[in-house]
């Protein structure tokens, strides 16, 4: 039996799309290889949200090929749009011939490319020849490939032009992008299932490469989403995480709020419908912005116990000046009002966030404002990461204004200290209480098991091993906390 392996980097949307590919391959008779087995088909789902993510994507490709050097290689994800030539070169350098490679760009039809690969592999996996198109041609993508005699300035101009032209072509020609990927019937070795409801973004935050890489803004139908959620719950998943590139743009044609014309959001209705699925413990939202947190949405949080009391609200900066330069669609006051509104209707909500440290022009005063707003919000978790200049985003042109590296490191340490203080205080509220949580798969090392609460807190506990608790909803008496988790005993 032919075997495949999938390596996934990046966001929940990527995780979902990888399982969509795995579901299709499994239905067609291929077997998913375990980590110690060689595969006939390698699928690497890449990310390019930061330069670190790009580096990890390249490393993942090399590592997968090293494990299965005779395999066919299928590269997908955002980095496949950003740097096709560099990907192809590193695969060739690893000894894989070009006609055994397919790089499936979002600005093409990756689902059709996957179908073609599957067809060729099933015909004769040892004779993958010139009939297989090597790379989806969506323009002269030259990122990272400095042609001899080409100046750095002309190379940068070429990169910007090519990426922007590819996106414009996608919009004009209504390229299907990820729309034709199939549904998912189970997430292997995961207790929570991701369900993508929306894709694409045209908000163009000045630091973000995603709008250039993902397809045009589109949404799945409510019927399609509910059908998939019901299938996943029937397969044993007790929690569903609704995800998208810009979740608030669900059912809309744009992520630009000033073009919504006061039309009501379809998101609250979808959440309510998913929450009503029999057998579902919790439905969680992947990420929202302040403008998405409407009275209707808060009413659902307040009155639907199946909806997890956890909101991920990326702050990015607590400075109005920096937020404006980032092209974010909210102000500091908007964020404060949203936090107040959430706390007024939800009991001890878990509010988590992302913060960019060292954005071009960020002053000491700007950073201090970010720290003040973090303390005001009382975040239960902060993901702080350094600004990463990526061409051709608007912020790429401001890279000379990035604060010194040592200053960025110090600011990240400060935020880490604030997070430890806030997260510790948040967890301490639950000592002595009984909480429900979904038990995760056992770890390969150690006797401590882990479970995840609806407020996105980890509970560590000792399991005698007499019962198989994986995937079950269990009650825990919380006895104390440690630096990252709650400690509890089974009730």
């Amino acid at each position: 039996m032919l075997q495949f392996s999938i390596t996934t980097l990046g966001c929940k949307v990527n995780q979902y799309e990888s399982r969509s590919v795995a579901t299709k391959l499994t239905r067609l008779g291929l077997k998913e290889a375990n980590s110690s087995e060689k595969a006939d088909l390698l699928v690497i789902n890449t990310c390019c949200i930061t330069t670190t993510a790009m580096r990890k994507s390249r490393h993942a490709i090399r590592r997968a090929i090293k494990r299965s050097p005779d395999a066919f290689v299928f590269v997908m994800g955002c980095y496949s749009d950003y740097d096709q030539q560099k990907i192809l070169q590193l695969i060739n350098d690893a000894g894989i011939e070009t006609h055994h490679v397919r790089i499936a760009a979002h600005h093409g039809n990756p689902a059709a490319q996957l179908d073609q690969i599957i067809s060729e592999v099933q015909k004769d996996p040892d004779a993958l020849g010139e009939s297989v198109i090597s790379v989806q041609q969506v323009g002269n993508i030259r990122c990272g490939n400095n042609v001899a005699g080409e100046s750095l300035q002309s190379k940068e101009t070429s990169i910007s032009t090519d990426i922007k032209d590819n996106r414009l072509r996608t919009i004009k020609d209504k390229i299907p992008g990820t729309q034709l990927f199939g549904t998912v019937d189970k997430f292997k070795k995961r207790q929570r299932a991701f369900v993508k409801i929306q894709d694409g973004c045209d908000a163009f935050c000045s630091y973000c490469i995603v709008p250039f890489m993902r397809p045009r803004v589109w949404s799945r139908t409510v019927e399609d989403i509910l059908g998939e959620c019901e299938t996943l719950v029937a397969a044993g998943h007790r929690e569903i995480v609704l995800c998208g590139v810009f979740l608030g743009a669900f059912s809309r044609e744009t992520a630009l709020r000033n073009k919504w014309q006061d039309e009501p959001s379809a998101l609250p209705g979808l959440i309510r419908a998913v929450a009503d699925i029999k057998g579902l413990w919790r439905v969680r939202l992947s990420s929202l912005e302040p403008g998405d947190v409407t009275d209707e949405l808060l009413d659902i949080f307040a009155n639907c116990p199946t909806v997890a009391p956890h909101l991920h609200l990326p702050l990015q900066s607590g400075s109005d000046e920096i937020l404006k330069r980032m092209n974010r669609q909210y102000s500091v006051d908007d964020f404060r009002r949203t936090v107040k509104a959430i706390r007024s209707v939800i009991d001890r909500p878990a509010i988590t966030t992302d913060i960019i440290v060292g954005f071009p022009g960020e002053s000491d005063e700007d950073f201090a404002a970010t720290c003040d707003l973090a303390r005001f919000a009382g975040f239960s978790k902060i993901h702080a990461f350094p600004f990463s200049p990526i061409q051709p985003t608007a912020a790429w042109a401001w890279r000379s204004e990035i604060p010194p590296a040592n200053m960025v490191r110090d600011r990240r340490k400060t935020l880490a200290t604030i997070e430890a203080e806030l997260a510790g205080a948040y967890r301490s509220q639950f000592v002595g209480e009984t909480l429900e949580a979904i038990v995760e798969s056992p770890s390969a090392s150690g006797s401590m098991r882990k479970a995840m609460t609806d407020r996105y807190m980890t509970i560590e506990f000792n399991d005698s091993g007499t019962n198989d608790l994986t995937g079950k909803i269990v009650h825990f008496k919380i006895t104390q906390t440690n630096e990252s988790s709650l400690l509890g005993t089974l009730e």
Side-chain angles (χ1 to χ4, degrees):
M1 177 182 288
L2 294 172
Q3 297 198 125
F4 69 94
S5 70
I6 296 187
T7 303
T8 308
L9 297 94
C11 64
K12 293 178 177 65
V13 170
N14 264 18
Q15 298 287 337
Y16 172 87
E17 289 172 352
S18 288
R19 293 327 301 169
S20 174
V21 170
T23 299
K24 181 165 191 171
L25 293 173
T26 301
R27 287 173 180 168
L28 292 173
L30 283 76
K31 177 189 174 190
E32 188 163 4
N34 61 43
S35 58
S36 63
E37 295 177 321
K38 290 186 177 182
D40 302 287
L41 173 61
L42 303 175
V43 179
I44 303 98
N45 195 351
T46 62
C47 177
C48 68
I49 190 68
T50 63
T51 53
T52 298
M54 295 183 195
R55 184 176 67 250
K56 289 181 177 179
S57 294
R58 294 191 295 270
H59 178 69
I61 295 170
R62 294 189 188 98
R63 185 174 55 204
I65 292 173
K66 185 176 181 180
R67 185 169 61 245
S68 300
D70 299 321
F72 192 87
V73 181
F74 182 79
V75 181
M76 58 185 286
C78 290
Y79 191 48
S80 65
D81 285 84
Y82 190 81
D83 210 341
Q84 288 189 355
Q85 289 189 357
K86 194 165 190 175
I87 293 171
L88 186 59
Q89 185 61 55
L90 75 86
I91 293 174
N92 290 160
D93 290 345
I96 305 293
E97 297 183 18
T98 299
H99 59 265
H100 279 209
V101 179
R102 187 174 296 270
I103 303 173
H106 287 140
H107 294 158
N109 189 341
Q113 292 179 272
L114 180 64
D115 289 340
Q116 293 167 5
I117 288 172
I118 294 169
S119 176
E120 292 296 331
V121 171
Q122 290 181 324
K123 284 178 184 176
D124 187 353
D126 296 321
L128 292 168
E130 298 301 331
S131 62
V132 180
I133 302 171
S134 61
V135 180
Q136 173 74 23
Q137 296 296 333
V138 291
N140 180 28
I141 298 180
R142 303 163 66 193
C143 307
N145 186 26
N146 195 2
V147 178
E150 183 180 29
S151 70
L152 180 60
Q153 182 176 359
S154 64
K155 176 190 170 187
E156 291 177 356
T157 301
S158 173
I159 292 172
S160 298
T161 300
D162 290 338
I163 291 177
K164 291 176 181 177
D165 285 351
N166 289 332
R167 186 183 185 280
L168 289 174
R169 187 182 301 111
T170 297
I171 303 301
K172 180 181 178 181
D173 297 342
K174 296 185 177 180
I175 300 296
T178 57
Q179 292 188 57
L180 301 181
F181 278 129
T183 57
V184 176
D185 54 19
K186 187 173 178 63
F187 275 74
K188 185 178 179 181
K189 297 181 179 180
R190 285 183 179 269
Q191 310 317 312
R192 295 181 300 282
F194 302 139
V195 174
K196 184 177 83 170
I197 68 171
Q198 178 276 340
D199 203 344
C201 179
D202 58 355
F204 287 96
C205 295
S206 64
Y207 55 82
C208 187
I209 191 64
V210 171
F212 294 98
M213 300 295 103
R214 299 297 300 192
R216 60 190 176 90
V217 177
W218 66 275
S219 300
R220 297 171 65 187
T221 65
V222 172
E223 293 75 19
D224 189 30
I225 295 165
L226 291 179
E228 185 172 58
C229 289
E230 289 168 353
T231 297
L232 290 165
V233 172
H237 295 290
R238 302 294 305 280
E239 180 178 319
I240 298 290
V241 183
L242 301 180
C243 59
V245 172
F246 196 109
L247 206 62
F250 173 69
S251 81
R252 303 182 188 277
E253 295 183 353
T254 178
L256 295 171
R257 300 181 188 280
N258 59 8
K259 294 185 178 181
W260 289 357
Q261 300 178 342
D262 296 325
E263 296 175 2
S265 172
L267 184 60
L270 172 67
I271 298 168
R272 195 182 298 274
V274 174
D276 287 339
I277 294 175
K278 186 177 180 180
L280 181 66
W281 176 60
R282 292 290 185 270
V283 56
R284 192 184 304 273
L285 306 181
S286 63
S287 182
L288 296 172
E289 290 190 357
D292 304 321
V293 185
T294 61
D295 291 342
E296 185 181 5
L297 185 70
L298 288 175
D299 180 69
I300 293 174
F301 273 93
N303 296 296
C304 292
T306 308
V307 179
H310 166 218
L311 295 95
H312 186 74
L313 297 176
L315 171 60
Q316 309 303 9
S317 175
S319 161
D320 273 327
E321 183 175 347
I322 296 298
L323 287 175
K324 184 176 180 180
R325 204 174 196 199
M326 288 179 169
N327 199 34
R328 299 293 283 173
Q329 299 184 82
Y330 56 85
S331 67
V332 169
D333 283 345
D334 292 333
F335 202 95
R336 286 179 178 270
R337 281 193 296 268
T338 299
V339 170
K340 287 181 180 179
I342 292 169
R343 296 198 182 283
S344 71
V345 298
I346 304 175
D347 174 36
R348 295 173 294 179
I351 304 176
T352 56
T353 198
D354 301 320
I355 294 176
I356 297 175
V357 182
F359 189 80
E362 182 185 68
S363 66
D364 289 341
E365 292 75 17
D366 295 324
F367 180 70
T370 298
C371 295
D372 288 344
L373 188 48
R375 292 189 179 95
F376 169 83
F379 295 123
S380 60
K381 183 175 178 59
I382 298 174
H383 174 217
F385 55 98
F387 167 73
S388 180
I390 301 177
Q391 193 180 355
T393 63
W396 168 261
W398 309 329
R399 59 195 184 279
S400 63
E401 301 175 46
I402 299 173
N406 62 334
M407 183 179 292
V408 173
R409 284 194 298 269
D410 289 344
R411 289 176 180 176
R412 291 182 69 193
K413 289 179 181 177
T414 298
L415 276 177
T417 300
I418 292 172
E419 186 207 18
E421 171 193 329
L422 296 176
Y426 182 77
R427 290 192 298 271
S428 295
Q429 301 176 84
F430 300 94
V431 173
E433 297 189 14
T434 296
L435 301 180
E436 280 188 337
I438 186 169
V439 180
E440 304 284 359
S441 299
S443 172
S445 60
S447 60
M448 296 294 285
R449 294 289 303 272
K450 292 184 179 182
M452 182 65 72
T453 72
D454 54 2
R455 288 179 171 83
Y456 208 60
M457 296 182 292
T458 299
I459 299 175
E460 296 183 8
F461 66 100
N462 282 307
D463 178 18
S464 63
T466 55
N467 298 308
D468 183 11
L469 298 177
T470 301
K472 294 183 178 179
I473 309 304
V474 178
H475 289 84
F476 296 92
K477 183 72 171 182
I478 305 304
T479 57
Q480 58 182 308
T481 69
N482 62 22
E483 62 182 14
S484 61
S485 307
L486 298 170
L487 302 181
T489 57
L490 292 166
E491 285 202 336

